[in-house]
Amino acid sequence: MIRNGLMAIFGATALVLGAVNPAAAQIETGYGTITPTVTITSNYIFRGISQSNKSPAVQGNLEYTYGVGQFTPYLGAFASSVRFPGADSSGREPYYRQRMELDLFGGVRYEPIDKLILDAGFISYVYPGQNAERAHTATTVPLVGSPQWNEWYGKLSYDFGPVIVLGSVYHAPSFQAASGSGTYLEGGLDIPVPFDFTVSGRLGRQNVQRNANFGFPDYTTWNVSLGRELLGFVMTGGYSDTNVKRNARLGADITNTQVNLGGDQYSMASGQFFFSVSRKF
């Protein structure tokens, strides 16, 4: 019953958990720069939770930027195939029937001093053809709202030379599945190592107002990865995990039904490996 985040076309960084920037062509025009990226990943993981039921996913990212001095406004879109587990043990009634996620985003990056980048923006997570009425169809599962939601974010990064330090905060006034407000905090490091590899690590925390509707408890997630560009491809492999416990108590949802974490949800949040390949057009 969750889509614990879905990252979209404008941020191939998210496609590989922010580990490295994927290879991307840059199409220069008199009105800005267009950057398209295509990625194939063995497992679409967002904030520690698989969005593809631990199966492969195909993703596309397109971003438009226009530099104005130290400011770089941008608009983008991200699309990915997705797959969610069923609403019951038979898997015959899926919570979300859609097979595609479409994310639309925009913001501005600002470099006040060399190597320091500030970024603020907005992202809308959309599942075409999906709405609250169609989100749950099994008679034993109450309607809990649309999986679609919007989020504001702020990010910063500083390149110290031997290491890049990153931090970000995302806030949704109305998170998915009628789960109230939600906030995600993340910090991380990117470390260049010999032979042009980059070792990356991320530590994040997701907090949600109504956990029973969301389908997960508040949780901590982390991942480590190793990436490298080779012959125009960016290849990244790593491991992601959370502290979500099996059968965790989630409290009561908006229908006052007591909810525990289901086996399908636990599987989506348990430790998992991923490997992705990105390629410029």
Side-chain angles (χ1 to χ4, degrees):
M1 78 175 65
I2 299 23
R3 162 274 189 199
N4 188 337
L6 302 168
M7 232 147 154
I9 257 184
F10 283 112
T13 303
L15 304 180
V16 292
L17 300 174
V20 295
N21 292 326
Q26 291 191 336
I27 303 172
E28 301 289 347
T29 74
Y31 303 95
T33 301
I34 299 172
T35 304
T37 305
V38 172
T39 298
I40 298 175
T41 180
S42 65
N43 187 1
Y44 176 20
I45 305 173
F46 178 63
R47 298 179 186 173
I49 296 179
S50 177
Q51 306 300 298
S52 58
N53 205 15
K54 295 187 175 181
S55 298
V58 178
Q59 302 166 326
N61 188 83
L62 186 67
E63 181 174 296
Y64 167 78
T65 60
Y66 186 82
V68 182
Q70 295 171 297
F71 295 88
T72 304
Y74 60 89
L75 292 171
F78 165 88
S80 178
S81 57
V82 293
R83 180 183 178 189
F84 299 102
D88 57 23
S89 59
S90 70
R92 291 173 298 186
E93 291 290 348
Y95 282 123
Y96 301 140
R97 299 188 177 198
Q98 78 285 348
R99 290 293 178 263
M100 176 185 177
E101 170 196 347
L102 174 64
D103 299 346
L104 306 174
F105 64 88
V108 59
R109 301 183 184 102
Y110 173 50
E111 189 171 1
I113 60 174
D114 187 37
K115 299 182 180 180
L116 173 63
I117 299 176
L118 307 178
D119 187 349
F122 176 84
I123 183 168
S124 180
Y125 302 88
V126 179
Y127 298 92
Q130 183 67 62
N131 54 45
E133 288 68 37
R134 295 179 57 193
H136 294 69
T137 56
T139 57
T140 57
V141 180
L143 292 173
V144 294
S146 173
Q148 302 178 159
W149 50 291
N150 303 314
E151 217 169 37
W152 296 94
Y153 60 84
K155 309 177 187 179
L156 65 82
S157 67
Y158 188 81
D159 186 352
F160 286 92
V163 60
I164 300 174
V165 178
L166 308 97
S168 59
V169 55
Y170 295 79
H171 179 71
S174 181
F175 205 43
Q176 65 178 154
S179 55
S181 62
T183 301
Y184 180 72
L185 303 173
E186 185 179 77
L189 301 174
D190 288 344
I191 305 173
V193 294
F195 304 106
D196 296 322
F197 284 93
T198 297
V199 176
S200 299
R202 299 290 185 270
L203 177 66
R205 177 71 179 178
Q206 178 72 66
N207 295 308
V208 178
Q209 184 178 3
R210 300 190 190 101
N211 298 102
N213 280 53
F214 179 52
F216 290 94
D218 293 349
Y219 67 93
T220 299
T221 179
W222 62 272
N223 68 78
V224 292
S225 63
L226 181 67
R228 190 186 192 282
E229 182 173 358
L230 181 65
L231 300 177
F233 293 87
V234 170
M235 294 171 284
T236 303
Y239 180 81
S240 173
D241 204 352
T242 74
N243 69 340
V244 173
K245 304 299 183 184
R246 189 184 300 272
N247 298 321
R249 295 181 62 84
L250 305 180
D253 63 19
I254 57 176
T255 68
N256 203 32
T257 301
Q258 293 292 322
V259 179
N260 286 359
L261 182 74
D264 285 339
Q265 281 98 321
Y266 173 76
S267 176
M268 293 165 65
S270 60
Q272 47 200 311
F273 291 95
F274 64 91
F275 178 78
S276 69
V277 179
S278 298
R279 183 69 164 89
K280 62 185 178 182
F281 283 14

